[in-house]
Amino acid sequence: MATHPRTAAFGSGILAALAGTATGHLVAALLNPASSPVLAVGTAVINLTPTPVKVWAVRELGSADKPVLVGSVLAGTLVLAGIAGLLTPRRPAAGVGLLLLLVAAAGVAAMSQPAAGPLDAVPVAATAVVGVLVLLRLARGGVSPRPRRGGTASQHTPQPSRRGFLVGAGVVAAASVVVAGTGQWIVRTRNRISDVVLPKPAKPLPPLAAGLEQEYDGISRFVTRNADFYRVDTNLTVPVVDVEGWQLTIDGDVEEELTLSFDDLTRMDVVERDITLTCVSNEVGGNLVGAARWLGVPLADLLDRAGVGSRADQIFTTAVDGFTISTPLEVALDGRNTLVAFGMNGKPLPREHGFPVRMVTPGLYGYVGSMKWLERITLTTYAERQAYWTKRMWATDGPIKLASRVDTPRPLSTVDAGKRVIGGVAWAQPDGVAKVEVRLDGGGWQEARLGPSAGVEYWRQWYLPWDAESGSHQIAVRATNRRGEVQTAERATPFPDGSSGIQEVVVNVT
């Protein structure tokens, strides 16, 4: 370009996008974190992504799927913003127009969210204003006169000063980091969970027994720590909920619509329950499963208080951000320990796991029975309303399949010969695990020893002593529930109703 070096122009566009995005993120942190431009676009991408791609992302990326998505969206945005920077010196209208088009896409994404309100447009407006101002300022740079070829000293064309551009670029970059960091700090410190005091259950459960992990290294902890509990959801940013203003509404096919505050809920008859949760995206032998002690109110008690009507066959739950889940009504009435929970392992729910309130339904995969950031419970019919995942053709009921996993030795690991232990976990909701068996190198099934029990809705640890000999070995595991049903060997992928099959791992012994 005659009037601006290409590299500097491209960098101007990138810095303008970063400055605008950082400003939008800060403004969103003060209003609604989900309306941050890059997060709004990322959420829209998630909603438009085909189901097979989502399953692949969870399987291959695990908990890193969200950072990878945000990074990809940001990278694509910066490339287009760089092109806007290239256009601006010669064609300012085209460069600014392309940048505004990017911002407009973020605006559409933010305003298309189910719970979007007028204030969600403010971060996008701030992004546009700052982005355009920075783009035009950096495109001009500092200017110094330079004579045209063959011209006189008085015939000058303004040229960007390298020093002026670098100083301006450095200021913009530093300010963007500070602004974005401030926004992230605000998001993390708003409405401190540590101020929440949990009630005591009328009949506390006895402490859980010591798990096998204390004796045998490598077996999953009997109680999954909150920080280690798996997280799978569609949220790129965790909803920040003010517990003082939060309310739970129960409506639809009920005799009396209820609206409960957090204090109302915690003053009811509170119970503790030991329950294992599993994600439908969990592959055979996968780690998208965890076990915890939950504190809350039985869902059946809330429905009794509201009065269940005669038409409903579905519990349609809505989160604070508008996300929806469908749960069969019968699971709240068949005696299982379905909870509206606000405590997890003796502490308030972490934000990542649904603070202030979530549903916990034993025996159903999370996409059917475990709404996080719960705000509304509506009794309706499947014919009347469809939730997020059922619209995407996942199974309606989602019962958890009987499953087991080898934790140690790890697949493809190398261990020393001698006295070893094979161990892991198994789960069989709502019936409970009766037996776990291990097969070595295609031989007969050997019954493993079970760890402590915390009820039929909780997983069981297991182990089998093993005299490991040198060579390559195959280890398989299967579980049997209390009804005598044996874990199926038939392989199935997670979509549409959960994976199945026998896990078999290869281990090298030296």
Side-chain angles (χ1 to χ4, degrees):
M1 290 179 141
T3 60
H4 204 283
R6 287 183 177 271
T7 300
F10 192 81
S12 296
I14 290 177
L15 287 169
L18 288 175
T21 300
T23 303
H25 189 67
L26 174 59
V27 174
L30 298 170
L31 300 175
N32 174 19
S35 63
S36 176
V38 68
L39 298 179
V41 173
T43 299
V45 171
I46 287 177
N47 292 337
L48 295 172
T49 299
T51 294
V53 178
K54 291 182 181 179
V55 173
W56 174 87
V58 172
R59 181 181 70 246
E60 299 298 329
L61 302 175
S63 59
D65 60 339
K66 293 177 178 62
V68 169
L69 176 59
V70 172
S72 301
V73 169
L74 186 58
T77 300
L78 294 181
V79 169
L80 293 174
I83 296 174
L86 287 172
L87 293 171
T88 301
R90 276 189 171 179
R91 302 170 60 189
V96 170
L98 177 55
L99 189 65
L100 289 177
L101 186 62
L102 292 174
V103 177
V108 171
M111 298 308 295
S112 65
Q113 299 303 310
L119 288 179
D120 290 329
V122 177
V124 176
T127 299
V129 171
V130 172
V132 170
L133 290 176
V134 171
L135 177 64
L136 294 176
R137 180 66 184 89
L138 289 179
R140 288 195 300 268
V143 296
S144 60
R146 177 171 135 193
R148 292 179 180 172
R149 182 177 300 176
T152 66
S154 61
Q155 294 175 311
H156 296 151
T157 300
Q159 295 292 323
S161 161
R162 179 180 180 186
R163 176 171 179 162
F165 173 79
L166 291 177
V167 170
V171 170
V172 171
S176 298
V177 171
V178 172
V179 170
T182 301
Q184 196 63 17
W185 177 81
I186 291 173
V187 169
R188 291 180 177 177
T189 57
R190 284 177 62 183
N191 305 324
R192 293 185 303 170
I193 295 177
S194 59
D195 294 338
V196 175
V197 178
L198 294 179
K200 301 293 183 182
K203 298 179 180 179
L205 294 178
L208 286 164
L212 294 181
E213 76 277 4
Q214 298 189 22
E215 187 173 355
Y216 304 111
D217 291 338
I219 297 179
S220 297
R221 293 174 61 93
F222 191 39
V223 180
T224 308
R225 291 177 293 201
N226 291 0
D228 298 332
F229 211 93
Y230 78 91
R231 178 193 166 197
V232 176
D233 51 57
T234 63
N235 298 74
L236 290 178
T237 182
V238 176
V240 178
V241 182
D242 180 5
V243 71
E244 296 298 328
W246 174 88
Q247 289 183 325
L248 174 64
T249 300
I250 303 175
D251 61 7
D253 186 22
V254 295
E255 296 173 3
E256 178 185 359
E257 182 175 318
L258 298 180
T259 301
L260 304 171
S261 68
F262 188 79
D263 287 341
D264 292 334
L265 198 63
T266 57
R267 282 195 291 262
M268 296 181 66
D269 292 334
V270 175
V271 299
E272 288 181 318
R273 295 293 182 262
D274 298 321
I275 299 171
T276 295
L277 297 184
T278 311
C279 179
V280 71
S281 295
N282 197 41
E283 298 280 354
V284 173
N287 60 0
L288 300 181
V289 56
R293 174 163 288 184
W294 307 91
L295 178 72
V297 175
L299 177 59
D301 290 358
L302 293 172
L303 296 184
D304 285 345
R305 187 168 170 177
V308 178
S310 59
R311 297 184 302 103
D313 59 8
Q314 175 192 192
I315 302 170
F316 190 87
T317 52
T318 306
V320 296
D321 60 357
F323 184 79
T324 57
I325 278 181
S326 292
T327 307
L329 176 59
E330 61 185 301
V331 304
L333 309 174
D334 65 2
R336 74 181 73 191
N337 291 308
T338 304
L339 295 181
V340 173
F342 38 75
M344 181 179 183
N345 290 331
K347 298 180 180 179
L349 287 173
R351 292 198 195 283
E352 294 79 8
H353 297 293
F355 179 84
V357 170
R358 69 173 294 166
M359 264 182 60
V360 175
T361 306
L364 295 185
Y365 289 117
Y367 83 100
V368 172
S370 295
M371 170 64 82
K372 296 187 283 189
W373 311 292
L374 179 64
E375 185 178 65
R376 183 177 296 271
I377 297 173
T378 302
L379 297 193
T380 182
T381 67
Y382 284 103
E384 291 175 348
R385 300 187 73 173
Q386 279 192 316
Y388 183 91
W389 291 115
T390 47
K391 287 180 181 178
R392 288 156 175 80
M393 305 306 293
W394 288 83
T396 301
D397 295 338
I400 295 175
K401 296 180 180 180
L402 174 61
S404 56
R405 183 180 73 200
V406 177
D407 289 335
T408 184
R410 294 195 174 278
L412 301 179
S413 63
T414 299
V415 301
D416 294 332
K419 300 295 184 181
R420 312 293 301 181
V421 165
I422 303 169
V425 289
W427 52 97
Q429 296 174 331
D431 305 297
V433 175
K435 180 171 63 174
V436 173
E437 297 171 292
V438 176
R439 184 178 64 200
L440 290 168
D441 299 324
W445 290 99
Q446 306 176 54
E447 187 167 348
R449 303 173 188 177
L450 297 180
S453 174
V456 297
E457 295 170 343
Y458 207 75
W459 65 9
R460 293 292 293 271
Q461 298 170 309
W462 59 267
Y463 74 101
L464 179 74
W466 177 35
D467 189 6
E469 299 179 351
S470 297
S472 177
H473 298 277
Q474 292 180 319
I475 301 172
V477 62
R478 71 180 185 185
T480 301
N481 67 20
R482 294 189 177 186
R483 289 194 294 169
E485 296 173 336
V486 180
Q487 181 180 340
T488 180
E490 182 179 350
R491 302 290 296 191
T493 59
F495 181 80
D497 61 355
S499 65
S500 69
I502 301 295
Q503 185 190 14
E504 190 161 9
V505 303
V506 175
V507 176
N508 295 313
V509 179
T510 59

